[in-house]
Every structure is written in C-alpha cells, then in structure tokens.
Amino acid sequence: MKWDWSAVSEFMPHFWDGLLVTLQILVLGSLVSFGLGLVWALLMRVPSRWVTWPIGVVTEFIRNTPLLVQLFFLFYVLPEWNITFSALTTGVVAIGLHYSTYTMQVYRAGIEGVPVGQWEAATALNLPLRRTWTAVILPQAIRRVVPALGNYVISMLKDTPLLMAITVLEMLGEARLFSQQNFQFTEPLTVIGVAFIIISYLASLALRALERRLVH
C-alpha cells in the first residue's frame, strides 16, 4: 500500500464541505436535544398521569428504537403522509429527537439532585413557581449535568455518519463518494478518522473548560 498525498489534496475540498455539514448537524441537533430534553423532563414532573404517562411511553419508544430506523421513518414514511423535509433537516430532527430522550434523564437527575432546602427556601420567600424554576432550580441543576450533556454531544458527533443513509453528505458521505469515484479509499477515510478524533478532543477540552468555569 502506498500513501498518495495528491489524493489527500484532491479530497480536501470535499472534506471541508462534509465538515461544514457535520458541524451544522451537530450544533442544530444538540440545540434540539437540549431544548426538547428539558421540556420532556419538566413535563414528567407534572402531577398528572394524563401528562406523564404518554410522555413516558413516547420517550421510552424513541430511546429504545435504533436511530437508523427513526431516520428511515422520518425520511421515507412521512412523505407518504405528505410531510416532507429535506435530508439535512430530517437528520437534525432525528438526532435531536433521539438524544432528547437521553438528555431528559440527565436533566431529571440534575433536578432531583438539587437540595430540598433550595425548594424550601424558595417557598419561604414566596417566589412564584416560574421564578423558582428559572432563578433557583434550573441554574443549579444544569450546572450539575454539563459533563453528561457534553458526553452526548460527542455521541451525536459519532452518529452523524448514519445520516449518509438518507443521502446527507457529511464527512463520511463525502469520503465514500470520493472513494467510489476515484477508487482511493485509504486517504479519504484516514482523513475522516483523524478529523473525528480532533473534533472529539477539542469538544472534550471545551467541555472541561466550561465545567471548571461553572464550578468556580
């Protein structure tokens, strides 16, 4: 086997295109996951089984169904019901929805980890419920769960290649297309592997920096 630097040079424009798509999926999917996960967690605390039971069933179904199946369902089945999204939008929604069921559990643990005394203090001060959540409970809960949320960001990054199955050309999709057209697999796939390692490492560094900042 001979390493061909010219293949790397030829592949790089495709790599940057794929990297941009990967980062778009990661950022938007993370926002959907974090936002929707918090909504799930708050709804599960509503004192009514008419709310918590359906939410529990839906989130358990999503969490225990493979992400690839969900991608296929959203991309191929929904159009039969005249609900159509672009491949990129479908991928973002699928990843965000799938991981929201995991971030929900992270938020739940963070909320339950807030000392009871904080709830009692808010009650003693006669704070409105909304103010109790936004000023007392959620800031403390989220500070506790940042490391776990960051780990799911890295997991989402590693799952972005699944979107290749619905025609999204993220990094691996671009590498596969280039390889099939030029019959050179080693160079583009190696570049993609290194890129995933670097992005994951940078994300972990940013996570640790954010965690230290929140602690202090």
Side-chain angles (χ1 to χ4, degrees), residues 15-74:
F15 166 76
W16 294 120
D17 291 341
L19 176 62
L20 178 60
V21 173
T22 295
L23 294 179
Q24 285 180 322
I25 296 167
L26 182 61
V27 172
L28 296 176
S30 296
L31 292 176
V32 172
S33 172
F34 294 161
L36 189 56
L38 181 58
V39 171
W40 294 138
L42 294 177
L43 288 176
M44 287 298 290
R45 296 186 65 87
V46 173
S48 170
R49 288 184 59 83
W50 292 103
V51 175
T52 58
W53 187 81
I55 295 296
V57 170
V58 169
T59 54
E60 282 296 319
F61 177 80
I62 295 173
R63 184 164 56 247
N64 290 288
T65 306
L67 176 57
L68 189 58
V69 173
Q70 295 167 17
L71 282 167
F72 283 159
F73 183 88
L74 293 175

Side-chain angles (χ1 to χ4, degrees), residues 1 10 64 120 138 144 147 177:
M1 181 184 71
E10 187 178 351
N64 290 288
E120 295 174 345
L138 288 181
R144 294 168 180 267
L177 183 62

